Amino acid sequence: MRSLITGGAGFIGSYLAEELLRQGHDVSMIDDLSTGSIENIEHLKRQYGILKDGVLARQRGLSVVASGNARFQYTIDTVMNVPLLAELVDQCDVVYHLAAAVGVKLIVESPVRTIETNVRGTEVVLELANKKKKKVFLASTSEVYGKASKIPFSEDDDLVIGPTVKGRWAYACSKALDEFLAIAYWKEKRLPVVVVRLFNTVGPRQTGQYGMVLPNFVRQALAGEPITVYGDGTQSRSFTYVEDVVDALIKLAMCDRAVGQVFNVGNGTEVTIGDLARKVKSIAKSNSEIQYVPYSQVYGAGFEDMPRRVPDIRKIRDYIEWEPQVQLEEIIRRVIHHYSDRV
Ligand code: UDP
């Protein structure tokens, strides 16, 4: 089996590639390095061998399809390069479509890029996969639930999106459209698709550059800088360890019954952001102060956050008997360990 991972040099994509390779699959990836990084896949290049041409070509401003027998291949380009993606899709058995604009900071600052990357990118992937009827795995997000207030969130719940003048909701809406399109390809054209809604995936290697809370808190705690809690810290999230997420994705991809379905992938344990800051500070044995920063100062006037976000995971439990294994304190310890020699 050869899996194609779009966004493979991103945080989740790189863990997915590693696990697929470990299980004996071949992996190709495409990433434009907009938010991903070669550093995330250095260890895979060393362990499984790659064609160096991709790097050379990039230096010359070209893009190439890696060829040859390497179990692991990567190409630096965007999924919007249709001829290139068509070739990569042809060579694989299943597509994990993870390439997307992510991170609240990026989304608020670059709404056009967010919408175009998420909508057009998914259109291209589905259209090409459909020509060869290659199974597509679409990574969506818990953000699609928007401001829904029924907790926990179940896959069949209504999605409650905010007004179009507020940039944040463009992300939720663009990913919801991706989901509609994927399900439509299944219903109308019998393209096998599986949609997953990921709930705040975290772990070592995640960057805080695009606003993600845990790597930011850990970096601040280790550097002795103030830990910046946005708003009053009563908003909550459910953090899921990246290896648990990858385990769910691979098992769902193997599950025939999952085709045409949407699944929450998340850890049901809820924590407020204020408590998260206190936990990080305590586990890192940090002297940092916890500083409360108004949302408007970070994301501009009128920014709307979700007060709570908790997954109902009964469906995925029923389909593949999946249960998250790594809990929050241990996740924090692992992220601290990862960053402790980098600060
Ligand atoms: N957050 C925070 N401090 C930070 C970064 C984020 O308090 O330095 C908050 C953010 O406002 C949100 C939560 O942490 O309420 C999770 O933010 P993140 O961007 O990681 O993910 P989201 O769930 O909002 O997509």
Side-chain angles (χ1 to χ4, degrees), residues 103-105 107 141-143 168 171 199-202 206 208 210-217 220 226-239 272-274 276-277 291-293 295 298-299 303-307 309:
V104 177
K105 189 161 174 276
I107 285 149
T141 165
S142 55
E143 182 95 5
R168 171 180 201 145
Y171 177 53
F199 283 70
N200 292 77
T201 307
V202 285
Q206 183 179 36
Y210 306 105
M212 279 77 161
V213 67
L214 186 57
N216 268 340
F217 281 4
Q220 291 164 335
I227 300 177
T228 54
V229 172
Y230 302 160
D232 64 5
T234 58
Q235 73 273 31
S236 77
R237 295 293 186 270
S238 309
F239 293 94
T272 68
I273 298 304
L276 180 73
Q291 194 177 74
Y292 291 83
V293 185
Y295 287 118
V298 193
Y299 295 123
F303 176 81
E304 291 183 323
D305 199 6
M306 284 88 176
R309 196 189 269 163

